[in-house]
Structures are given as C-alpha cells and as structure tokens.
Amino acid sequence: MFPLPKTATAPFCPSEVAGSIVVPADLPWWKKALRFAGPGLLVSVGYMDPGNWATDIEAGSRFGYRLLFVVLLSSLAAMMLQCLAARLGIATQKDLARLSSERYPKAVGRLQWVFAEISIISCDLAEVLGSALAFKLLFGVSLPVGVALTALDTFIVLGLQGRGFRRVEAIILGLVGTIGICFVVQLFLVGPDWAQVAAGFVPSLHAVSTQEPLYLAIGILGATIMPHNLYLHSSVVQTRAVTGIQGKRDAIRLTRVDTIGSLSLALLINAAILIVSAAAFHGTGRTDVADIGDAYELLAPIAGTTVAAVAFAIGLFASGQSSTFTGTIAGQVIMDGFLHWKLPCWQRRLITRGLAIVPAFIGVVTMGDRAIGELLIASQVVLSIQLPFAMYPLIRFTDDRALMGDFANTRLVSVAAWLLFVVISCANVWLVAQVFGLA
C-alpha cells in the first residue's frame, strides 16, 4: 500500500530544503547564474495562470490593444516587488511571513495570514476553473466533472514527495515552455497588426478613464502581481546555500537576473494572450468575447485552422497545472511562517484545492459556462485588493537598515515602492467605491 507522508517533506516545504542547492564560490559566473535560476521561474507561473487568460482575453476583445500598457506596467511593478521579496529572503535568511509573525502583534499576524490564505484560494480557484475548462475542451467532459478531476493533482504532489527542489523547477520550466510555444503558434496564425501593438504599449490615462476598462485594468494588475508570490519568493530563494556578506551580495545580483528574466517571459506570454484576443476578436468585430470557452470556439474559424484552438487548450491546461506547485509551496510558507504549522504536502494541497473546488463547483452548476469568465475575473480583482496587505510589510522591512544592513532599499527604490503602494491602494479603493455605488 502506498504510504502517505505524515510530516512536511521536500520539495513542497521550503524550510526542509533550505540551503540544499550548493553554489561553489569558484564556479564561473554563468554556471553560478544557472544554479540560481529557478525561483524566479517558479514565481512566474502565477503571472500566466488562467486568471491572467480571462482578464487578458476580455481586455483584448473589448478594447483591442489599448490595455497592453497595463500588462507592461504591471509586469515592471511585479519585477520590482519580487526583487524586493528575494532580497529580503537572502539578506535576512527569513521569509516575509516569518518576519511579519515576529515583528507584528499576534493579532496583526493572524490577520495577514487570513489575507494571504484568501489570495492563495482565489488563485487556486482560477486554476480549478481553467483546468476544468481545459478538460472540457480537450476531452469533452462536462464542467462539473472537470472541476472534480482537478482534485487529482494531489497525486502529482504525492509523487514528488522527498524529491529535490530542482525537480520541481525543471517541471515548471517544461510547463512554461509549453505555454510559450502554444502562443507563438497562435500569434503566427492570427497575424496581429504590429503597429497597433506597439501603440498599445504607450501608457494612456484616457484608456482607463471609465469604470469598465479600469475594472479590467485592476483585474490585470491582480492577475499579474500575486500577493502570496511575495511570501513564496522570499522563502524559495533560501534553497540556495549562501554565506557571508559577499555571498549574499552575489546571490542578490544573480537572483535579480533570474527574477527579471523569468518575469520578462511572463510579460511576453501575457501580452501574447491579449494580442491574440485583440487580433482575433476585436479586429473582426467580436468585442463581446469575455469567456475563455468562447475564445476557444471562435479561434478556429477566425484563424482558419483548428491548430490555433488546440494550441489554446493545451496552453490553458499547462497554465492550470503549473500553479499547482506554487500554490502548495506558498501555502506551506505562510502556514509555517505565521502559525508555525507544518502539514504533510498532500494535506495542504487537499485543503487549498478543497476550498477552491466548492465555489467553483457551485458556480458551474448554477451559472453554467458563463461562470468561468465571471469567476475568473472576480478572483483576480480579489487578488488585487489583497495586494497592499502584503506590499506594506515587504516595503517596510526592506527599508529597515537595522534588519537589512547594507542591503536596505536605496532612497530611489524606496520612493518608487511606496508610490506603487499608494497607486495600487487608491485604485482598489476607487474600484470598490464604484462597484458598491459609493462614488
């Protein structure tokens, strides 16, 4: 009989694999860079999950290329915040959740934990819906059956118990590569207007001056910058063995390369989703495509081949499965950091997936196919609203010279980070006021 682990095990409990990847000091810089590559890629999968697909598809269909600049600015903001999270983990050898638990009152720490769990569940809801739809598109099962099948990814987690952390990173690389190839194929088939694509990357306040595009813009922001990814990144960078001030300095520099490179790939994929939607739907007068399933059905006749639709479905499936790993690891990080609990990875996975499956199942049973698009975008807005509660402690800690030493934020980085915090917080307040008729 297959034995179920009774304790937290590698690779899904980062504290169990901390310092497990050795980086000899005499390695050439490019070999060191390869050793440090991985955590950024692991984090990047959250930036190309089915929630991103939903917001980008609707944005492209309704507004063409106009909101491409939101994808770009959100990705740049994500790069800065993830670099701060990685630097915090390397400099202090503690993750954001652990530091919050130690430095804030217990009640505040518990509230942060609740918010972090909500963000993980919201993200996992997107994975459930995306994977369920992929099962329907690829294998013809109903959406409720597809939702139920998503529980089976717990076996993937069980199958990797006790494995090295590099194994997880290699799997993620394969899934991200699959998503990228699928969208290269679709871009080639739909033939976007590249002059309009370039114009769409130019920031425009007019493009988000009304509630509908602003709602989508904030959804894109929430889908791009995942609150729990800040906790996750500050922890997984500690899998590399680092000693001494110079060792930390080298680690921060190489981790920055890994982070920016990985999130640049996520930026390209997110932009590709919106571009495909704008070219295939908005460009042909279909400005009402707000559902991933509709996008799949319409791609083949518009592109003139079923290859585009099949590539779309395969990419969606890879997108949903890749976040299985990050959700499990992030859950362990925040539970260990805030509550000092360590659950077996399969239990943690079942808890998170179970809390996501219930609303997903209720939604697809009561609302039918339209539940996918509506719940996906709503989940991303919830993520955006949670974001300031993770950003605030991150910026405060990385500003603290007593905690960070020579690795504390420079004045320029600190001003940019706090400005970003204010912009995101104000946008969220405005959106909530609009939704509830308070403004």
Side-chain angles (χ1 to χ4, degrees), residues 146-208:
V147 168
L149 287 174
T150 62
L152 298 178
D153 68 13
T154 302
F155 290 104
I156 300 174
V157 173
L158 277 171
L160 288 170
Q161 63 172 329
R163 305 289 184 178
F165 200 74
R166 294 294 267 181
R167 182 73 60 88
V168 172
E169 293 173 345
I171 293 172
I172 292 296
L173 177 60
L175 291 169
V176 170
T178 300
I179 300 169
I181 291 170
C182 288
F183 273 98
V184 168
V185 171
Q186 290 172 68
L187 283 173
F188 176 77
L189 292 173
V190 300
D193 183 332
W194 292 108
Q196 290 189 36
V197 169
F201 281 110
V202 178
S204 168
L205 287 176
H206 177 71
V208 291

Side-chain angles (χ1 to χ4, degrees), residues 62-228:
R62 296 180 64 180
F63 303 106
Y65 305 102
R66 287 165 49 195
L67 295 183
L68 271 173
F69 78 93
V70 178
V71 176
L72 173 62
L73 295 180
S74 297
S75 297
L76 293 176
M79 290 176 192
M80 182 177 70
L81 292 175
Q82 296 296 166
C83 284
L84 290 184
R87 180 141 51 94
L88 179 70
I90 293 170
T92 65
Q93 293 298 292
K94 293 181 180 180
D95 59 69
L96 179 58
R98 177 73 62 178
L99 286 168
S100 296
S101 175
E102 293 176 354
R103 297 170 73 89
Y104 289 133
K106 186 175 181 179
V108 173
R110 291 295 173 88
L111 186 61
Q112 284 182 279
W113 170 71
V114 170
F115 286 147
E117 289 285 6
I118 290 173
S119 73
I120 291 177
I121 293 168
S122 296
C123 184
D124 208 56
L125 174 61
E127 321 315 338
V128 168
L129 294 168
S131 296
L133 181 57
F135 279 127
K136 177 184 177 182
L137 300 179
L138 289 170
F139 307 114
V141 302
S142 66
L143 279 178
V145 172
V147 168
L149 287 174
T150 62
L152 298 178
D153 68 13
T154 302
F155 290 104
I156 300 174
V157 173
L158 277 171
L160 288 170
Q161 63 172 329
R163 305 289 184 178
F165 200 74
R166 294 294 267 181
R167 182 73 60 88
V168 172
E169 293 173 345
I171 293 172
I172 292 296
L173 177 60
L175 291 169
V176 170
T178 300
I179 300 169
I181 291 170
C182 288
F183 273 98
V184 168
V185 171
Q186 290 172 68
L187 283 173
F188 176 77
L189 292 173
V190 300
D193 183 332
W194 292 108
Q196 290 189 36
V197 169
F201 281 110
V202 178
S204 168
L205 287 176
H206 177 71
V208 291
S209 59
T210 57
Q211 181 179 343
E212 291 182 356
L214 181 61
Y215 180 80
L216 271 175
I218 293 177
I220 291 172
L221 181 67
T224 303
I225 309 175
M226 300 284 187
H228 58 279

Side-chain angles (χ1 to χ4, degrees), residues 23-42:
V23 185
D26 58 349
L27 282 180
W29 71 268
W30 63 272
K31 286 189 176 181
K32 284 185 179 180
L34 289 176
R35 291 289 181 96
F36 276 97
L41 191 67
L42 188 69

Side-chain angles (χ1 to χ4, degrees), residues 120 123-124 228 232 322-332 348-349 352:
I120 291 177
C123 184
D124 208 56
H228 58 279
L232 174 66
S322 62
S323 294
T324 293
F325 301 97
T326 56
T328 303
I329 299 171
Q332 293 282 27
R348 173 67 226 193
R349 187 66 204 143
T352 304

